[in-house]
């Protein structure tokens, strides 16, 4: 099967499995912890965890960006150290954008919550209902996997989501691309962009980028707004 056909087959199988039998809570807990730990290994300090797929040594952007920022050392750091047995988890049901963050940010800056919410929803729901040459395809499962994987990298967990879907729908090269774009955007290369979903249209892959950026922004807001809420209370 081609990459596209294999992905569509996995999406179909996931839907059928979901209708036949729901995973237990214990299984879902285990799948999230596994995905969270593996996300720490995807890229660390610019070194690819899958060297057979990529090597950053010859493609890392050489442009010095430090002159554009006040703190050159400021950048993404994994939310936990590799090798730790108990990694911190931000449980989404305890502090969600819809139920908590939205109202707080509106209090802090009038109407900005509505604008942010509209932006999040627009990008998340954006779809042509296509996958490359296939039309009338429900891409909800795939879009949710992309969004939730970004949040998983930031230690955010949704108890009602089966993270086994992430592992089945997002191949290794795509996970490397996702973490690079989300956490180390200056290291993103065209070679990495071309390496995944080769049969997809550019507009579909650009939508992936938009989805990753909005997921990252929402994750950062959740941490910041939760800290403000704790301070206020």
């Amino acid at each position: 099967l081609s990459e596209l056909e294999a992905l569509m087959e996995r999406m179909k199988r996931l839907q059928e499995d979901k209708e036949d039998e729901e995973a237990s809570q214990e299984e879902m807990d285990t799948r999230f912890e596994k995905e969270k730990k593996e996300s720490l290994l995807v890229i660390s300090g610019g070194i690819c965890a899958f060297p057979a797929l990529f090597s950053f040594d010859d493609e890392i952007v050489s442009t010095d960006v430090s002159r554009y920022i006040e703190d050159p050392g400021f950048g993404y750091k994994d939310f936990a150290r590799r090798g730790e047995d108990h990694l911190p988890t931000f449980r989404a049901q305890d502090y969600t954008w819809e139920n908590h963050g939205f109202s707080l940010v509106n209090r802090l800056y009038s109407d900005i919550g509505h604008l942010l919410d509209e932006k999040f929803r627009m990008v998340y729901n954006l779809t042509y209902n296509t996958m490359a040459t296939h039309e009338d395809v429900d891409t909800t499962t795939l879009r949710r996997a992309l969004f939730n994987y970004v949040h998983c990298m930031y230690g955010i967990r949704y108890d009602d989501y089966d993270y086994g879907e992430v592992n089945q729908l997002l191949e290794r090269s795509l996970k490397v691309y996702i973490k690079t774009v989300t956490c180390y955007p200056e290291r993103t290369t065209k070679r990495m962009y071309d390496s995944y979903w080769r049969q997809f249209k550019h507009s579909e892959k650009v939508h992936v980028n938009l989805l990753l950026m909005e997921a990252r922004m929402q994750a950062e807001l959740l941490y910041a707004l939760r800290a403000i809420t704790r301070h206020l209370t």
Side-chain angles (χ1 to χ4, degrees), residues 27-218:
E27 289 174 325
M28 293 174 71
D29 292 348
T30 301
R31 291 169 184 173
F32 171 75
E33 290 300 326
K34 179 181 178 182
E35 202 63 51
K36 182 172 63 172
K37 289 180 180 178
E38 288 184 353
S39 74
L40 297 176
L41 301 174
V42 173
I43 297 176
S44 180
I47 305 236
C48 180
F50 311 108
L53 293 171
F54 299 109
S55 173
F56 284 110
D57 295 339
D58 58 347
E59 290 205 283
I60 191 167
V61 178
S62 59
T63 303
D64 181 14
V65 298
S66 62
R67 61 181 179 274
Y68 298 115
I69 54 180
E70 294 181 359
D71 181 5
F74 182 80
Y76 171 83
K77 291 185 179 180
D78 285 317
F79 65 91
R81 295 179 180 178
R82 286 183 292 169
E84 289 185 359
D85 293 330
H86 302 288
L87 302 181
T89 297
F90 184 137
R91 302 178 70 87
Q93 74 271 19
D94 295 335
Y95 199 93
T96 65
W97 166 253
E98 293 81 5
N99 298 331
H100 306 91
F102 172 79
S103 58
L104 175 59
V105 81
N106 259 347
R107 282 172 50 198
L108 299 174
Y109 191 165
S110 181
D111 293 333
I112 192 65
H114 294 286
L115 296 174
L116 288 170
D117 191 62
E118 182 181 0
K119 186 162 71 85
F120 291 146
R121 292 178 185 275
M122 180 181 295
V123 172
Y124 187 87
N125 295 320
L126 183 64
T127 179
Y128 299 132
N129 293 312
T130 63
M131 287 182 65
T133 57
H134 295 266
E135 298 181 350
D136 299 321
V137 180
D138 184 357
T139 61
T140 303
T141 303
L142 187 55
R143 284 181 280 124
R144 184 170 59 238
L146 290 165
F147 193 92
N148 285 0
Y149 181 63
V150 173
H151 279 205
C152 179
M153 290 193 305
Y154 281 82
I156 299 175
R157 178 190 173 186
Y158 296 88
D159 280 355
D160 59 349
Y161 181 69
D162 183 357
Y163 287 85
E165 294 186 9
V166 168
N167 205 39
Q168 293 189 55
L169 296 177
L170 310 184
E171 68 275 13
R172 285 182 172 184
S173 60
L174 180 52
K175 286 182 176 180
V176 171
Y177 180 78
I178 289 172
K179 188 160 188 181
T180 307
V181 168
T182 307
C183 306
Y184 312 100
E186 73 280 2
R187 295 175 182 161
T188 309
T189 64
K190 188 175 185 301
R191 178 185 173 193
M192 297 177 67
Y193 172 85
D194 292 336
S195 70
Y196 80 96
W197 290 0
R198 294 175 179 84
Q199 296 168 295
F200 282 65
K201 301 172 185 176
H202 286 300
S203 59
E204 293 171 310
K205 297 177 77 168
V206 168
H207 178 212
V208 170
N209 285 4
L210 294 175
L211 195 60
L212 300 182
M213 291 295 97
E214 294 305 319
R216 168 187 164 170
M217 183 176 187
Q218 189 178 110

